[in-house]
Amino acid sequence: MAPGASPADQPSFLVSLLAGGVAGVSVDLILFPLDTIKTRLQSPQGFNKAGGFRGIYAGVPSAAIGSFPNAAAFFITYEYAKFLLRTDSSSYWVPVNHMLAASAGEVVACLIRVPSEVVKQRAQVSAASGTFHIFSNILYQEIPFSLVQFPLWESLKALWSRKQGHVVDSWQSAACGAFAGGFAAAVTTPLDVAKTRIMLAKAGSNTASGNVLSALLEVWKTQGISGLFAGVFPRMAAISLGGFIFLGAYDQTRSLLF
């Protein structure tokens, strides 16, 4: 914590819980159809056999139930980690602190996310996979994503704030979230493909072993670069819009509660 930090700067547990929960539920309910389409595009069965456009809201109850505590846990951890790691705003360590805070948030949130993710994925495309493998591979995919998204989001907000001479409004935070989310989505798509293949793999297959590198190599051998980036545009569209809603709703709810 920086020398200038005080107890008054400490994040509110209740505000982070409520703002994070509202943001999580909002984005999942609005964007669930795009997530289903992306999952089916990445399915080894192929899009049409995996269900096509039929029942694209399948699994939405489990997503809604898991969204509030999942997002709340992430933001509580993220805000407290940022507070503990706080440094001077001009320090080169600021992006690193945001990376560490986001990673810590993802680990905690993943403990809540896994059960609902298993139910949701199996509703979207009938399949089976082990819970431990799902936990580890969600972390492999989510932590790299957060390492890109959150430092970029925070940096864009800080830059915009400096340019206009005051803290960004909620819609500006949302715009920064959309850009950061879309960029992070693009560069981490291969990991998302690997995660989806592992989660949807048949029990006993090589892919079902949960090795991300093996899953990536298998996709590369069978489908090449296009396979590694399968569903990249729906993913970018969903996460850009999701970043706008998720991070905008978070900041807006925080501003209303403070």
Side-chain angles (χ1 to χ4, degrees):
M1 184 169 63
S6 69
D9 298 317
Q10 185 168 337
S12 165
F13 177 90
L14 183 60
V15 169
S16 297
L17 184 150
L18 292 176
V22 168
V25 171
S26 298
V27 73
D28 270 9
L29 292 181
I30 293 171
L31 299 182
F32 197 88
L34 280 176
D35 183 60
T36 300
I37 291 170
K38 180 216 71 175
T39 298
R40 291 176 179 178
L41 282 169
Q42 295 175 349
S43 171
Q45 303 173 44
F47 179 70
N48 290 329
K49 288 185 178 179
F53 290 102
R54 298 185 302 277
I56 57 175
Y57 273 96
V60 72
S62 65
I65 291 169
S67 293
F68 190 101
N70 170 52
F74 173 84
F75 276 111
I76 289 169
T77 307
Y78 179 67
E79 294 293 352
Y80 272 89
K82 280 202 306 179
F83 175 73
L84 294 173
L85 297 169
R86 182 174 171 174
T87 59
D88 184 83
S89 60
S90 62
S91 172
Y92 291 113
W93 286 103
V94 171
V96 176
N97 292 344
H98 292 155
M99 290 180 182
L100 293 173
S103 297
E106 288 294 355
V107 171
V108 174
C110 194
L111 296 173
I112 298 171
R113 179 181 304 151
V114 168
S116 62
E117 185 76 5
V118 172
V119 175
K120 183 185 74 172
Q121 290 276 353
R122 291 179 181 175
Q124 289 175 333
V125 185
S126 180
S129 189
T131 300
F132 176 76
H133 289 155
I134 291 173
F135 176 83
S136 61
N137 284 288
I138 287 177
L139 283 184
Y140 290 151
Q141 190 264 334
E142 292 294 342
I143 287 181
F145 177 85
S146 292
L147 288 176
V148 178
Q149 183 191 34
F150 279 88
L152 183 55
W153 176 55
E154 298 278 12
S155 297
L156 289 171
K157 288 197 301 177
L159 177 61
W160 203 337
S161 296
R162 286 197 300 270
K163 291 288 185 181
Q164 65 185 9
H166 61 81
V167 176
V168 293
D169 297 324
S170 296
W171 73 266
Q172 293 170 322
S173 175
C176 294
F179 182 87
F183 182 80
V187 300
T188 60
T189 294
L191 292 175
D192 188 56
V193 171
K195 183 200 75 170
T196 302
R197 289 297 182 92
I198 290 167
M199 294 179 74
L200 303 182
K202 293 180 179 179
S205 66
N206 290 333
T207 304
S209 67
N211 188 298
V212 174
L213 183 58
S214 294
L216 288 171
L217 288 173
E218 180 64 26
V219 174
W220 170 260
K221 289 176 182 177
T222 58
Q223 295 178 281
I225 193 72
S226 62
L228 290 174
F229 285 90
V232 63
F233 293 114
R235 175 172 161 81
M236 286 181 66
I239 294 179
S240 291
L241 184 55
F244 186 91
I245 297 168
F246 184 60
L247 298 173
Y250 177 70
D251 272 0
Q252 178 63 32
T253 306
R254 277 174 56 87
S255 68
L256 292 174
L257 293 173
F258 269 125

